[in-house]
Amino acid sequence: MPHHPTQSVLIRLAKIEEHLQATIQMVHEDTSSPDVLRQIAALQSALSQLAQVIVQDYAESCLTEIPEREHLEAELEDLLSALKLFL
């Protein structure tokens, strides 16, 4: 069951994009490596938080709407497969 991104996800992605552009600018400006690494850490954290929001939204809006158990198992398997990419 495909799920459309929520406004919250799109807002987070826009902020992540802004931070990524700032990181690229830091590299162009030859900013110190520790500062660039801190910015990368912040990006990783923002991406992780985004993933958490997407999983929660999916669980709350999609998994609760699946009427048949066999479809639920297929959706859970798909979700777990995607989550394994983070581990």
Side-chain angles (χ1 to χ4, degrees), residues 16-51:
I16 289 168
E17 183 178 31
E18 289 174 14
H19 286 293
L20 178 58
Q21 290 302 320
T23 305
I24 292 169
Q25 187 64 34
M26 290 171 75
V27 172
H28 282 297
E29 294 172 355
D30 202 26
T31 303
S32 71
S33 293
D35 289 341
V36 173
L37 289 171
R38 285 184 195 94
Q39 186 65 22
I40 291 170
L43 280 165
Q44 288 176 320
S45 175
L47 286 168
S48 179
Q49 291 172 12
L50 173 62

